[in-house]
Amino acid sequence: MKLNNLATFLLVVPLALASAVPKERKQTYNGYKTYKIATHNNPAEVRAKIAKFAAIPFNTRDDVHLDVAVPPEEIAAFEALGLETTVLSEDLGADIAEEGPLVAYESPVGVQAIPSLTWFNNYHAYADHITFFNDLQAAFPTQSEIFTVGKSFQGRDIFGIHIWGSGGKGSKPAIYFHGTVHAREWISAKVVEYLTYNLLTQYTNDTAVKAIRDAYDFYILPVVNPDGFVYSQTTTRLWRKNRQTRSGSTCVGTDINRNWPYKWELTGGASTDRCSETYKGLAAGDTPENQALVAFTQKLKNGKGIKFYVDWHSYGQYILLPYGYDCNARASNHAAQNTLAKNLAAEIQKSYGTRFTYGPSCSTLYKTTGSAPDYLTDVGGATYAWTIELRPTSSSSNGFVLPATQILPASIEQWNGLKYLLANI
C-alpha cells in the first residue's frame, strides 16, 4: 500500500510501462539507483527538471521530497542536475536479489502432519501457498475448513481458511484478515500465514490462544489478489494492481483497495488514470475480486458480525485506523481504537524493538478513497477495521522488497501483538 517515501523505487519506468504494455519476460532492475530528492515545498519545479528522464517520481506527499529510481544509463545525467539528493539504494536489482529465490515447498509426510516452520524461511511460488494452506487445514480437519469467496479476473480462486474454537463453526463474531491485496507486498502473505499457523497449532498448549479461538471465528484470506501476485513472481516483481484488462485501453490493472463501493466517488484519494498504480476503476466495485470480497464481507456482517478486520500491507510500519477518505473524520469509537493501537504498537516493539506509528489513516499517512477499512467500518459494521503496514520502515532502502531473513521476525512481532490485541478488544 505504501506509496510515499521510497515508493518510487517501485514505480520506475519499467513498472509504469508494464502497466500500459504487459510483458511476458521477467523484468529486472539491475543497476537502478534510488534517490530521495528534497523539494522544499516546490515539487513542481523538481518534477519539471527530471521530466526528461526515464525515472518517474511518485509520491502522494511530495512537498518535502520525491523518491525516484533511475536506470543505469541515465544516472550520470541525472546526478549532473545538481539536485539535493540522498542515495537510498545503489542497486535496486541487488535489493530484490536479497529476497532470495522462490523455494519449493514440500508437504509433510503422514496423516494430519503439520507443515514445517521452515515455510517461513523463504518466499514461495503462489501454487505452494495453496498447498501449504491445504496441508495446514488437513492437519486440523475438525477445527478449520478451506473456503473460496469467488474468482479473480483471470479465473483463480480467492481462497481462505475458516478457524473456530469450542463453540463450533460459525458460532462467534468474526476476526477477518486480508493479505496481498497489493501484489508486490509479499511479506503480507507470510505474516498472515504465520498468524494462521499459530492459531491452529497453539490452541491446545497456549491458554491465551485457546481463549481467543473460543471467543471468535477467524476468516483469513492470505492472497486476495492472486493474478497480480503471480505476475509479480513471474514477470514484474514490483507489480501492484490486479490484472484486469479494459476495453479501449492498453493499460492493465485496477487497485482493488481503491475499488470498494464506499466513498469511491470522492476525489483526491485514488486515480482515474488507467495506467496509475492507484487506478480506482470505472465504477465502484467493478473488479471481480472486489465483488467477491464485498459479498463475503456482507455474509459475515449478516451472520455473527465482524469484530475486528485487518488489511495487511507493507511497508512503513504503521497501524492505520479509520478513516482514509477524510483527514478530519473519526470513527465513533476512535478513542478506544487509538488506545488499542497505542498498546499494540508497544507490544510489537517488545519483540525486536520495531517501532510502529499509529493513527487515523488519512491524517497519519495519506488520503485513500474506496478502501477496505472505510467500507468495513461504515458498511460492513466492523467494530474495528484497520490497515497494518508491515516492515520495513518508510525510510528503508528496501521498501516492498524485504529480505527473506526478515520474514520470521516480521511475523513473530505481529503474532505477539495480535495475542495482546485480541485479548483486549
Side-chain angles (χ1 to χ4, degrees), residues 161-240:
I161 189 167
H162 177 193
I163 302 170
W164 57 86
S166 61
K169 181 172 67 173
S171 63
K172 303 294 173 61
I175 305 295
Y176 183 26
F177 295 158
H178 286 174
T180 328
V181 177
H182 293 146
R184 61 195 176 206
E185 297 167 14
W186 292 3
I187 188 60
S188 67
K190 284 294 186 177
V191 167
V192 166
E193 288 162 352
Y194 188 81
L195 303 179
T196 304
Y197 189 95
N198 281 280
L199 284 167
L200 284 169
T201 61
Q202 300 303 311
Y203 181 64
T204 58
N205 56 22
D206 187 326
T207 56
V209 176
K210 186 177 189 307
I212 292 167
R213 282 266 306 274
D214 290 346
Y216 303 105
D217 275 51
F218 288 79
Y219 302 86
I220 301 172
L221 288 74
V223 183
V224 301
N225 179 10
D227 298 347
F229 187 48
V230 169
Y231 195 74
S232 75
Q233 293 189 325
T234 60
T235 308
T236 299
R237 169 63 187 90
L238 304 176
W239 187 262
R240 169 185 168 94

Side-chain angles (χ1 to χ4, degrees), residues 84-101:
E84 183 181 335
T85 63
T86 301
V87 175
L88 296 173
S89 174
E90 293 287 348
D91 189 343
L92 177 56
D95 291 340
I96 292 174
E98 286 187 17
E99 288 183 316

Side-chain angles (χ1 to χ4, degrees), residues 63-78:
D63 53 329
V64 176
H65 60 87
L66 288 170
D67 299 329
V68 299
V70 181
E73 65 273 14
E74 293 189 343
I75 288 173
F78 173 83

